[in-house]
Amino acid sequence: MSRFRRARRIAACVVAVLVVLTLAHAYLAQAAERDYPPTGLFLTVDGVHLHYTEEGEGPVLVLLHGNGAMVEDFALSGLVERAAQSFRVISFDRPGFGHSTRPRGVEWTPTAQARLISEALARMGVTQAIVLGHSWGALVAVTLALDNPRLVQGLVLEAGYFFQSPRLDARMVRLVAQPGLEDVFSYTLTPLMARLLWTPIMDDVFGPDAVPAQFARFPKALALRPSQLRAATEEVALLNSGAAALEGRLGRLALPVAIVVGDGDRLIDPQSQSIRLHQTLPQSSLRVIPGGGHMVHQTALDDVMAAIDEVDQSVRPDPGPGLSPPSGALRRGVPTPAPWPLAR
């Protein structure tokens, strides 16, 4: 057999395998969406079919999840249930995750996503809110605060990424995040590898903490759909450019900021990100969770709730002359660094 014929046969086999993988992943994605239907409501904003959940009454608390996650992450952690006792909790599936769409032809930077969230909140009649962002969602939360200072009263930032740094994952993703090639990987090999490596990936995401029992109910099948993996790949590629767009603006944050981070985070270095941000913002407080990993709302919920309550107290109206502000409150505009580190 000639080399040319052999090469043609090998190429045909590769194409056949890729077609089978594409059809299999499409079937599994449809099954996942049937097995895990939307749990909330929808708004269509700028062409995005945006899925969100809403629980509780009171001051508004907006939750923005990290890369690869969805609203179920916050719900399974107990954060939504706990916070809904005092707040109107609005959790968004960011574009491309959970049941929210991610239209093509748009670069879904933190700025673009912040604009989308602000428009959605305006449609919902929200004029003021505390915003919690986890990981990639923290980039969106900070951008939202900078672009909408009247809307965002305070920030809670969990395990966030705020400053450019060399990242091997971003370099590797940029090699495949090219038009056409990105789709080939996202609809064929990436879902297969993600399924095979799910357990070690989750061990790394949570480590050094153990993966908590409640996370077994996370809709893994939704997270492994090609469309969501494609969105996750894009966000890895946008990580440093998103941080670069913020770095010169971070000092303009003139609102209460509570930062929560695990000192053993394996995905985002605490020292060069969260701790550096705390040093940049004199009005911020910092809670470092000893032995904590990246998923602090799942493994250190009490600390996250304490950070939310701290910001809530700090943005309440001044009680008036002769009256003391709530315990632990920070008056807006008065730099009062909280003790650091605060342990679990």
Side-chain angles (χ1 to χ4, degrees):
M1 183 184 296
S2 68
R3 291 183 179 180
F4 178 70
R5 291 179 64 187
R6 185 181 298 113
R8 285 182 60 186
R9 182 167 294 182
I10 292 172
C13 289
V14 170
V15 170
V17 169
L18 294 178
V19 169
V20 169
L21 286 174
T22 300
L23 294 174
H25 294 316
Y27 171 79
L28 292 171
Q30 291 180 348
E33 291 169 0
R34 182 182 63 247
D35 294 340
Y36 298 99
T39 56
L41 304 171
F42 286 90
L43 279 174
T44 299
V45 183
D46 291 341
V48 178
H49 203 40
L50 191 64
H51 178 242
Y52 69 96
T53 62
E54 187 171 345
E55 301 286 343
E57 297 180 354
V60 175
L61 173 66
V62 174
L63 305 181
L64 301 174
H65 62 76
N67 190 7
M70 59 193 83
V71 296
E72 282 80 3
D73 178 25
F74 289 127
L76 289 173
S77 72
L79 174 58
V80 172
E81 182 181 4
R82 285 271 298 272
Q85 297 173 19
S86 305
F87 297 90
R88 176 187 174 191
V89 183
I90 301 173
S91 305
F92 287 100
D93 276 339
R94 294 191 296 101
F97 300 99
H99 290 281
S100 291
T101 60
R102 190 180 179 101
R104 301 289 186 103
V106 177
E107 189 175 39
W108 286 104
T109 63
T111 299
Q113 295 193 35
R115 185 182 306 116
L116 180 78
I117 297 300
S118 66
E119 291 180 11
L121 292 172
R123 293 262 202 100
M124 298 164 69
V126 175
T127 58
Q128 289 187 316
I130 294 170
V131 180
L132 180 150
H134 173 240
S135 192
W136 215 96
L139 273 173
V140 182
V142 171
T143 305
L144 185 65
L146 287 166
D147 292 347
N148 302 270
R150 293 184 179 180
L151 171 64
V152 181
Q153 297 174 289
L155 290 170
V156 180
L157 305 174
E158 291 184 56
Y161 189 87
F162 313 100
F163 305 95
Q164 296 180 83
S165 66
R167 290 188 64 93
L168 180 60
D169 55 353
R171 291 179 182 176
M172 293 176 64
V173 161
R174 279 198 295 272
L175 295 177
V176 299
Q178 306 296 326
L181 186 60
E182 182 181 22
D183 282 331
V184 171
F185 276 92
S186 296
Y187 287 85
T188 57
L189 298 178
T190 304
L192 177 63
M193 296 303 296
R195 288 178 186 277
L196 293 174
L197 298 174
W198 178 264
T199 297
I201 288 172
M202 290 302 104
D203 287 342
D204 209 35
V205 168
F206 279 88
D209 286 312
V211 179
Q214 72 266 15
F215 196 75
R217 293 182 285 128
F218 182 77
K220 167 185 170 182
L222 284 179
L224 293 175
R225 290 170 301 165
S227 59
Q228 178 147 331
L229 291 171
R230 185 180 190 278
T233 299
E234 289 177 354
E235 296 210 338
V236 172
L238 288 169
L239 196 58
N240 269 323
S241 61
L246 280 184
E247 284 188 22
R249 306 176 66 199
L250 289 171
R252 302 177 194 172
L253 286 170
L255 75 172
V257 178
I259 302 166
V260 188
V261 66
D263 67 0
D265 192 328
R266 295 174 180 174
L267 300 189
I268 297 177
D269 178 58
Q271 187 68 47
S272 63
Q273 298 297 331
S274 290
I275 294 174
R276 180 180 171 187
L277 181 67
H278 172 58
Q279 295 166 345
T280 302
L281 302 176
Q283 80 278 19
S284 67
S285 67
L286 176 65
R287 284 174 169 79
V288 178
I289 313 302
H294 189 65
M295 302 291 282
V296 286
H297 55 281
Q298 290 277 355
T299 59
L301 181 56
D302 287 344
D303 294 275
V304 174
M305 283 304 308
I308 293 170
D309 290 338
E310 173 192 292
V311 172
D312 177 47
Q313 289 179 350
S314 70
V315 301
R316 292 180 185 177
D318 192 310
L323 298 177
S324 298
S327 175
L330 303 175
R331 292 176 180 266
R332 288 195 74 174
V334 180
T336 313
W340 171 81
L342 299 176
R344 182 161 40 180

